[in-house]
Amino acid sequence: MAELGAAEHAAAAGELSDAAQAELLELCEEQFSQLEKLQNEIILSEPDYCENPQEQSVNRLIATEAELKQWQAVEPKLLAANSEVLLEAGKEEMLKLCSELEMVASCYKAKTDKLRETKQLELKWLEEKKQVLIAASDHAERLQMDKEKISEQSVLLDTKAKIQKMKVYQERLMECLGDVLEKHVPLPQIESSTNRKKKNIELGINENLISLNEILEVLMNKVLSTPHDTYVTIDDTFWPPYIEMLLRYGIAVRHQENHFKIRLETFF
């Protein structure tokens, strides 16, 4: 308190009147005397020694609570009765408070500027990330389109290869079938002499007969070309024994209404 009074006295020495200065000095001397008295009492008083730390803590707590109640009961009073001293003290406190508020405002402004700068950097970073995202999305879309094109082309090439493979396999099967039929089911022998020709006419053998292999090819081509109408009309080039053999073994089926039409049996 003495140091505070001395500081106030030094600060207001050039502005306070003689009476105010005398009152302030007297107040400082009183506070200084009281401070010396309290300091001497503290030095002379010996602390109570207690072996039990818990009991010592309880005693300190009780003493602190008693001191708190005493300070709460004391009514605050002015440092001085002189209005000049109070005015100067108020001015000092206001100046101090204004200085602290200016410091707070300066810190707040610096923090606001820093946050504004950080915001600008974040917005710039966000815009860059958006551009990167757009570029990545476009690149991914192009890759997907290229992948679909490659996939379609690969599927098309694969399908063409399979079709070509099946054609080759079909040709091989037809060649094998033709060889088997030519070996085991040959066309009837047509003799060229006049007597043999007469005999062939009597037997009803046409010179333009087609082989069993050709008959099967005609039936299969009909199924592939016109699936809605798979029947083939029998003419003189179809040898009747071949037709009967195909019907007997379930390879061909005759039309229900027109007996001159046949088709391949459905095997699937």
Side-chain angles (χ1 to χ4, degrees):
M1 296 297 292
E3 292 179 359
L4 177 60
E8 292 178 352
H9 177 266
E15 300 179 4
L16 294 176
S17 62
D18 295 338
Q21 291 182 15
E23 185 179 351
L24 185 59
L25 288 173
E26 182 180 356
L27 180 61
C28 290
E29 290 177 357
E30 291 179 1
Q31 295 294 331
F32 185 72
S33 299
Q34 186 178 359
L35 182 60
E36 286 183 345
K37 181 180 177 181
L38 293 174
Q39 187 175 4
N40 292 331
E41 290 178 358
I42 292 173
I43 293 173
L44 294 175
S45 64
E46 295 181 0
D48 297 334
Y49 178 74
C50 183
E51 295 181 357
N52 191 352
Q54 185 175 1
E55 185 177 354
Q56 186 178 1
S57 299
V58 173
N59 294 334
R60 288 180 180 177
L61 179 60
I62 294 173
T64 304
E65 290 178 353
E67 185 177 358
L68 176 61
K69 290 180 180 180
Q70 184 179 0
W71 279 107
Q72 289 177 349
V74 174
E75 294 183 1
K77 61 180 180 178
L78 298 175
L79 296 176
N82 194 313
S83 60
E84 289 188 55
V85 176
L86 295 176
L87 180 60
E88 291 300 326
K91 286 182 179 180
E92 290 294 331
E93 289 295 329
M94 290 299 295
L95 291 174
K96 182 179 179 182
L97 181 60
C98 290
S99 177
E100 293 177 353
L101 289 176
E102 288 177 357
M103 187 180 298
V104 171
S106 177
C107 293
Y108 177 76
K109 185 177 183 301
K111 187 175 181 180
T112 303
D113 294 340
K114 183 66 176 179
L115 289 175
R116 187 178 292 108
E117 182 181 356
T118 304
K119 179 183 176 182
Q120 295 297 330
L121 292 176
E122 292 292 337
L123 290 175
K124 183 179 179 181
W125 177 84
L126 179 61
E127 186 65 25
E128 291 176 356
K129 293 302 178 183
K130 286 182 179 179
Q131 296 296 330
V132 172
L133 179 60
I134 293 174
S137 300
D138 294 340
H139 184 64
E141 186 176 356
R142 288 195 300 270
L143 290 178
Q144 184 66 24
M145 293 176 62
D146 294 341
K147 181 180 178 182
E148 291 178 357
K149 290 181 179 179
I150 294 174
S151 178
E152 292 177 358
Q153 292 178 357
S154 62
V155 170
L156 181 61
L157 293 176
D158 186 46
T159 304
K160 288 182 178 180
K162 289 181 179 179
I163 292 174
Q164 185 64 29
K165 186 177 180 180
M166 291 301 297
K167 286 182 178 180
V168 173
Y169 182 69
Q170 181 186 7
E171 291 177 358
R172 290 177 56 190
L173 286 179
M174 295 303 296
E175 291 178 0
C176 294
L177 178 62
D179 294 340
V180 171
L181 294 178
E182 184 179 359
K183 180 178 180 181
H184 298 282
V185 191
L187 280 172
Q189 298 294 330
I190 300 176
E191 299 182 3
S192 58
S193 62
T194 305
N195 296 332
R196 296 296 183 184
K197 187 174 182 181
K198 291 181 180 179
K199 185 176 180 179
N200 291 334
I201 294 174
E202 292 177 357
L203 294 175
I205 299 176
N206 189 353
E207 296 181 356
N208 298 324
L209 291 177
I210 59 178
S211 64
L212 182 58
N213 184 24
E214 292 174 340
I215 294 175
L216 292 174
E217 286 186 5
V218 171
L219 293 174
M220 287 187 289
N221 291 332
K222 185 66 174 177
V223 172
L224 295 175
S225 61
T226 56
H228 59 282
D229 184 15
T230 57
Y231 286 95
V232 175
T233 302
I234 301 174
D235 55 15
D236 296 338
T237 59
F238 289 73
W239 197 33
Y242 287 165
I243 303 301
E244 293 299 327
M245 181 178 64
L246 295 175
L247 295 173
R248 180 177 300 176
Y249 290 104
I251 300 174
V253 178
R254 196 182 296 274
H255 197 280
Q256 295 180 357
E257 297 179 358
N258 189 351
H259 295 288
F260 292 99
K261 289 184 177 182
I262 61 173
R263 64 171 176 83
L264 280 180
E265 180 63 82
T266 303
F267 298 100
F268 53 87

